[in-house]
Amino acid sequence: MFKQIWFEFRSAVTFLWRVFSDTIYAVFHDPGVTIIFVVAGLAYPILYNFLYWNNSLTEVPIAIVDMSGSPASNRFIREVDATQDVKVEYRCTSMLEAERLLKAQKVHGILYFPPDYENCLETMRDVAHISAYLDMTSFLYMKSVLSAVNMVMLDETHNIQLDRYMRMGMDDEMAWALIQSAQYEEVKLYNESDGYGTFLIPAVLVLILHQTLLFGTCMLMGAYYEERKRVFNENAHHWSHAVLITLGMAFAFSTIYIALSAIDLVLVPRIFSLPHIGSMIDIMQFTVPFLLATSFFSIFVAGFMRNRETGMVVLLSTSLIFLFISGVSWPQPSIPKAWVYLSYLIPSTWGIHGYIHISSMGATVNETIKEFNALWILAGIYLLAATIQMYIFIKPKNKRHIYRNPRIERYLTKS
């Protein structure tokens, strides 16, 4: 009995090793899959970081329509122009002229001062108004212009209040005490540069790993389907073979991607000065269930592929969806519940949140135990789903099989 158990164990390990090694061989001897797995997995993170190299917009051109022409309006304009966010590019004599510049995209904002601007400040009979017209075709343009105007407006408001209190006979100390009754300090956590790139790129890095693994697996399985050959004999229809094939392929994919993950999730953020205050050990420990869950998920999805080209359709149709429903680029409470529940079935959702918590916010694996456990649960679910699917396709009566491996065929024939 012991010999029989040892023989079965040794046979299973040998079978698993051959699936593992032949999957590695298939990946690196298929130029298309190699490009997706290795080249795209390394090039995309670097490309995206170069695209967001500036990280935030500066010197956004705006137009000024100053109908007041007063010292007060000129001082406000100089202070706005002195900020790093915007640059006064044009001074227009009418709103019509400024609107033409905005429509031509020569400016991305208009600042309008009415004729009674300084008079309202001097007489204190009415509130002085400034109108800011923002280019909403891009959120970043709007953010830069609005930030500059609000910052200068708050500073000007303090100066106006100080001037009025001093006219009432107060000294400087009492006037400042009334203006600044509560001191506050602005602390930007986890994104000191306040940049769009440092906010988005960490999520994109995880999604790149997820999507390239999914696409490459779909290409590989699609190639097996296109050959339309049954390579397993009568002995290759047991559940054990389906489990071992699924595990062997997933281990092969995860082995390749553990090296890519070390580069993309640890090295790249440090090269491009992204938030990376987390421990490398915690990041790699969290990466293990993420890669396994993604591998089993990819094998399951790839089981529906009938040709190599179908994988491209899957990649293009899911990438933006997976990013949005993850709750990073758009707040998850604002996403319809049906999409939120769907996102729980996607490994990239948990992977993105867990990686951001560890790398950008300095959490440990124990502090991201929710995401960590969710990935292990997804790995188990998709292992079962992929195994069932694999079992159906390796049955002898099925003429289409997703795994073609002559070496395993020879082993099964001998056994």
Side-chain angles (χ1 to χ4, degrees):
M1 183 177 178
F2 177 78
K3 290 183 178 180
Q4 181 64 26
I5 294 175
W6 173 251
F7 174 77
E8 294 294 338
F9 174 76
R10 188 178 61 180
S11 300
V13 172
T14 303
F15 188 91
L16 181 65
W17 169 253
R18 289 186 176 181
V19 175
F20 174 87
S21 60
D22 287 330
T23 301
I24 297 287
Y25 179 88
V27 168
F28 288 102
H29 282 76
D30 187 323
V33 178
T34 303
I35 290 175
I36 296 300
F37 273 17
V38 180
V39 179
L42 293 175
Y44 278 4
I46 297 175
L47 175 62
Y48 272 93
N49 276 281
F50 275 121
L51 290 176
Y52 291 98
W53 182 265
N54 292 327
N55 205 9
S56 58
L57 293 181
T58 59
E59 301 292 323
V60 175
I62 64 172
I64 301 295
V65 182
D66 185 10
M67 305 304 295
S68 172
S70 59
S73 62
N74 286 328
R75 182 175 65 251
F76 196 103
I77 295 170
R78 286 196 304 271
E79 292 183 1
V80 168
D81 193 30
T83 65
Q84 65 175 358
D85 296 313
V86 301
K87 177 182 180 181
V88 177
E89 196 73 34
Y90 297 93
R91 287 178 175 265
C92 304
T93 57
S94 66
M95 278 297 298
L96 182 60
E97 181 184 355
E99 288 175 5
R100 289 174 179 171
L101 293 172
L102 185 63
K103 291 178 180 179
Q105 293 291 289
K106 293 183 178 180
V107 297
H108 298 288
I110 301 173
L111 206 56
Y112 175 80
F113 295 85
D116 61 347
Y117 174 72
E118 187 175 48
N119 186 50
C120 292
L121 295 178
E122 292 292 336
T123 60
M124 296 185 290
R125 295 178 181 177
D126 198 1
V127 178
H129 292 275
I130 300 174
S131 299
Y133 298 86
L134 308 175
D135 182 1
M136 293 298 293
T137 58
S138 172
F139 170 77
L140 295 180
Y141 290 141
M142 182 273 292
K143 175 179 175 292
S144 295
V145 177
L146 190 61
S147 175
V149 173
N150 284 338
M151 183 170 55
V152 175
M153 182 180 65
L154 289 174
D155 186 62
E156 281 292 295
T157 300
H158 288 166
N159 292 334
I160 292 170
Q161 290 176 333
L162 180 63
D163 181 64
R164 290 181 178 181
Y165 286 143
M166 295 183 67
R167 288 184 186 182
M168 295 169 61
M170 298 182 182
D171 57 16
D172 289 349
E173 184 176 351
M174 183 180 297
W176 274 112
L178 290 174
I179 294 173
Q180 296 181 334
S181 56
Q183 294 284 346
Y184 74 94
E185 181 180 358
E186 183 182 77
V187 180
K188 297 178 180 178
L189 298 175
Y190 315 125
N191 189 357
E192 296 181 0
S193 65
D194 197 24
Y196 187 73
T198 53
F199 148 73
L200 183 65
I201 290 299
V204 172
L205 293 177
V206 178
L207 188 63
I208 287 173
L209 294 174
H210 185 277
Q211 292 301 88
T212 53
L213 178 53
L214 174 61
F215 183 29
T217 305
C218 289
M219 288 184 63
L220 193 63
M221 300 305 179
Y224 295 148
Y225 267 113
E226 286 178 344
E227 295 183 8
R228 298 173 182 265
K229 294 181 180 180
R230 182 168 66 86
V231 298
F232 291 100
N233 64 2
E234 297 297 326
N235 295 324
H237 65 275
H238 299 296
W239 278 105
S240 59
H241 293 104
V243 173
L244 292 174
I245 291 172
T246 304
L247 287 174
M249 297 179 72
F251 291 161
F253 296 148
S254 299
T255 301
I256 297 172
Y257 266 79
I258 197 70
L260 292 175
S261 299
I263 297 173
D264 292 351
L265 303 183
V266 178
L267 184 60
V268 169
R270 284 160 172 75
I271 293 176
F272 291 95
S273 300
L274 298 176
H276 55 279
I277 60 177
S279 168
M280 181 181 68
I281 296 177
D282 287 323
I283 293 175
M284 298 311 299
Q285 184 179 348
F286 182 82
T287 301
V288 172
F290 168 69
L291 292 180
L292 287 175
T294 304
S295 297
F296 292 133
F297 172 77
S298 300
I299 294 172
F300 172 71
V301 173
F304 299 97
M305 302 297 106
R306 295 298 181 267
N307 53 65
R308 294 170 65 90
E309 291 75 19
T310 310
M312 177 61 73
V313 178
V314 174
L315 177 70
L316 296 177
S317 62
T318 59
S319 295
L320 286 178
I321 295 177
F322 289 172
L323 179 62
F324 276 107
I325 66 177
S326 68
V328 175
S329 63
W330 188 256
Q332 199 169 58
S334 301
I335 301 176
K337 290 297 182 182
W339 287 104
V340 174
Y341 295 144
L342 176 63
S343 72
Y344 294 157
L345 300 176
I346 311 301
S348 61
T349 300
W350 303 103
I352 288 172
H353 285 282
Y355 175 67
I356 291 176
H357 291 164
I358 296 174
S359 179
S360 301
M361 304 172 71
T364 63
V365 172
N366 291 331
E367 292 171 330
T368 58
I369 197 66
K370 177 182 176 181
E371 293 81 6
F372 189 75
N373 290 339
L375 288 171
W376 279 117
I377 293 173
L378 285 181
I381 292 173
Y382 286 117
L383 170 60
L384 177 61
T387 299
I388 294 173
Q389 191 179 63
M390 186 73 69
Y391 173 73
I392 295 173
F393 290 133
I394 67 175
K395 291 174 68 175
K397 66 179 182 180
N398 197 313
K399 296 182 179 180
R400 296 181 181 180
H401 300 274
I402 63 173
Y403 195 82
R404 183 175 188 268
N405 195 320
R407 292 177 61 186
I408 294 180
E409 181 187 23
R410 292 195 298 270
Y411 169 74
L412 291 171
T413 303
K414 293 177 182 179
S415 63

